[in-house]
Amino acid sequence: MERVNFGSRLGIILATAGSAVGLGNVWRFPYMTGENGGAVFILIYLGCVLLLGIPCMISEFIIGRHGQANTARAFRNVSGGTPWTIIGYMGVMTGFLITGYYAVVSGWCLQYIWASLAGHLKGDPQYFQHYFQAFSADPVKPIFWTVVILLATYLIVEHGVRSGIERASKVLMPLLFLLLLIIVVASCMLPGAADGIRFLLKPDLTALNGNVFLGALGQAFYSLSIAMGCICTYASYFSRQTNLTQSAVQIGVIDCLVAVLAGLMIFPAAFSVGVSPDSGPSLIFITLPNVFQQAFAALPVVGYIVSLLFYALLSMAALTSLISLVEVSTAFVHEEARVSRKRAALIVTIACCIVGAFCSLSLGASSSLVIAGRSLFDWFDFITGQIFLPVVGFLTSIFIGWAVPHKVVRDEFTNWGTLRGRYFHLYLFLVKYVCPVCILFIFLHQFGLI
Ligand code: PHE
């Protein structure tokens, strides 16, 4: 049976870039850049994306397109049923686990759209802190918003690859880019904005050390959605004409561009009011609402609009990533349990709502969900980002580099000899040696072993 495909090249790029562009671009990249040497960090990051991120993405493309199935089955098809299949299952599981907590944060973005509209985002810095803490620990509201965003995701995913995922990405991604540009312009026009731009882009060689490289590498993997099953699942819908290398490069460029623009959106505004930006949820839900309010104090309407647009942008970035995450499990359930796509999407959505609800409750409402000093929310973040992601990434590189016959890899790389495949040997070298060694380094480093 012919597998469904994305309908166009643009659809492929926008859907996959939609998966890559997410909260990670906004809440972590700008901060890491500012802290780790500005322009120098951006260069190192680009190097990591080019030499490690893109080869790993191409490897997942190869497995997905060659396997022509959900991630677990794709690994089975490519490996001929050997134990390498387990990596596929791990990818699906990572994708599923991350969905729960990613959906909770995405739900917070929706709540903040509502809060901006209703004019709740007004007050002193303590007020914002208190507002966020009270909201995220509430037993009902965050769960409500988690369910809402998962429902929106469901409605898109159940429509299928072309009329659901591809169509939604073609609308959401350009819109996201437009909102981003509007806020960048508004932010860069503020008095004192130049200091923020300087902080972000000033090359500072003294900040360089080994941690910077490892930080850049970890961020590159997370930001490109590698090792979560997403890239592999989407690639199973690519056509035989899709140029894998070119697509991976284009997606990498879009992802980096959005990350740098996110920095130009955040730092100029923060510097213009003298607030030092941080990272993670506290940046987008505590620091920035305060920054926007203060920065546009002279023109409250503009502040109101900027904050609304900002949370709309975040919600869209989160939604396109969530779509790819839900699709990983949906394709898995659809093909393995042999239920219809719609039913599979529904089962996955309900399961994600349950996981999301537990994650959300662990942030305050239910202290019994705090295990070994970490909330369930933090555990999910830790297990997926710091354990599964490097392990799956490492094993995938070894699998493609050492286990899959080179003919299969070359055929996929060159579209069965129709492309020149000028970079094939470079790619193979990176996947065989450089990627596994570097991933192993981040893994050991984060546990303090090196
Ligand atoms: N790449 C996304 C981001 O930058 C996160 C993500 C990871 C999304 C894995 C899907 C899968 O936020």
Side-chain angles (χ1 to χ4, degrees):
M1 206 177 75
E2 180 75 14
R3 190 172 175 75
V4 282
N5 276 167
F6 283 114
S8 63
R9 256 179 56 76
L10 185 68
I12 287 178
I13 302 295
L14 291 183
T16 318
S19 171
V21 170
L23 298 169
N25 297 56
V26 182
W27 83 19
R28 227 156 79 88
F29 179 84
Y31 174 77
M32 295 203 39
T33 305
E35 285 289 289
N36 292 314
V40 180
F41 178 82
I42 297 184
L43 281 182
I44 296 174
Y45 181 78
L46 290 179
C48 290
V49 167
L50 207 63
L51 294 178
L52 300 155
I54 288 178
C56 286
M57 187 179 263
I58 297 176
S59 303
E60 285 200 38
F61 280 170
I62 290 177
I63 296 166
R65 191 170 69 172
H66 194 76
Q68 287 291 299
N70 67 79
T71 303
R73 190 179 290 238
F75 271 86
R76 177 177 317 134
N77 290 348
V78 176
S79 70
T82 55
W84 291 106
T85 308
I86 296 169
I87 317 171
Y89 281 92
M90 285 175 70
V92 174
M93 193 154 86
T94 318
F96 176 71
L97 290 180
I98 205 179
T99 317
Y101 101 96
Y102 207 82
V104 174
V105 184
S106 314
W108 293 346
C109 300
L110 290 189
Q111 154 77 20
Y112 271 66
I113 294 190
W114 162 246
S116 327
L117 270 176
H120 291 165
L121 299 183
K122 277 201 278 284
D124 56 17
Q126 279 76 31
Y127 165 80
F128 286 108
Q129 176 128 18
H130 177 76
Y131 183 89
F132 176 67
Q133 275 163 356
F135 162 70
S136 59
D138 190 278
V140 182
K141 277 195 223 159
I143 299 183
F144 168 76
W145 291 112
T146 304
V147 172
V148 171
I149 193 122
L150 280 170
L151 210 63
T153 311
Y154 163 74
L155 290 175
I156 293 168
V157 171
E158 68 134 20
H159 270 88
V161 174
R162 273 196 198 186
S163 46
I165 300 175
E166 182 169 352
R167 214 164 58 171
S169 308
K170 280 184 171 166
V171 176
L172 290 169
M173 290 305 287
L175 208 57
L176 183 147
F177 210 69
L178 181 71
L179 295 191
L180 191 59
L181 289 181
I182 295 176
I183 307 179
V184 168
V185 170
S187 176
C188 289
M189 275 167 46
L190 289 166
D195 290 340
I197 303 176
R198 212 167 297 130
F199 179 69
L200 188 70
L201 300 179
K202 188 184 75 179
D204 175 11
L205 284 170
T206 58
L208 272 192
N209 57 44
N211 288 344
V212 173
F213 281 88
L214 294 171
L217 191 52
Q219 171 71 11
F221 275 65
Y222 181 80
S223 191
L224 292 174
S225 306
I226 283 165
M228 305 273 179
C230 297
I231 301 297
C232 192
T233 306
Y234 274 10
S236 71
Y237 308 126
F238 287 7
S239 80
R240 283 169 69 96
Q241 281 78 42
T242 307
N243 182 334
L244 301 184
T245 312
Q246 193 187 50
S247 307
V249 171
Q250 287 168 343
I251 292 156
V253 168
I254 296 179
D255 192 57
C256 292
L257 193 64
V258 171
V260 173
L261 285 174
L264 290 176
M265 163 172 90
I266 293 170
F267 280 92
F271 271 71
S272 99
V273 293
V275 170
S276 75
D278 48 357
S279 72
S282 69
L283 169 72
I284 56 183
F285 298 112
I286 300 175
T287 311
L288 285 181
N290 172 36
V291 164
F292 289 144
Q293 178 197 248
Q294 286 189 38
F296 298 101
L299 289 162
V301 184
V302 179
Y304 180 87
I305 295 173
V306 166
S307 134
L308 188 64
L309 296 185
F310 175 71
Y311 290 107
L313 178 156
L314 276 181
S315 304
M316 285 191 280
L319 182 61
T320 48
S321 296
L322 263 185
I323 292 172
S324 71
L325 286 165
V326 167
E327 176 61 22
V328 173
S329 308
T330 299
F332 177 75
V333 174
H334 172 48
E335 289 163 10
E336 301 305 311
R338 296 182 184 280
V339 295
S340 71
R341 186 180 170 84
K342 279 193 197 311
R343 175 158 309 175
L346 189 64
I347 295 171
V348 170
T349 305
I350 293 173
C352 290
C353 287
I354 296 172
V355 175
F358 278 113
C359 277
S360 179
L361 288 174
S362 77
L363 290 177
S366 170
S367 52
S368 60
L369 293 171
V370 176
I371 305 159
R374 268 183 220 257
S375 63
L376 204 59
F377 183 94
D378 291 339
W379 271 113
F380 274 39
D381 185 18
F382 172 72
I383 294 176
T384 51
Q386 266 145 290
I387 301 191
F388 278 27
L389 189 154
V391 170
V392 174
F394 174 78
L395 292 176
T396 306
S397 302
I398 300 280
F399 177 53
I400 280 283
W402 299 89
V404 178
H406 284 177
K407 166 145 186 10
V408 171
V409 180
R410 182 194 280 275
D411 280 351
E412 289 290 340
F413 194 91
T414 60
N415 287 356
W416 296 270
T418 53
L419 301 172
R420 271 180 49 210
R422 211 179 327 155
Y423 299 108
F424 181 68
H425 289 289
L426 174 65
Y427 160 75
L428 210 56
F429 173 76
L430 293 172
V431 167
K432 264 181 129 157
Y433 304 103
V434 184
C435 296
V437 170
C438 291
I439 299 173
L440 198 65
F441 263 108
I442 340 180
F443 191 64
L444 297 178
H445 177 77
Q446 72 195 4
F447 292 109
L449 296 174
I450 47 169

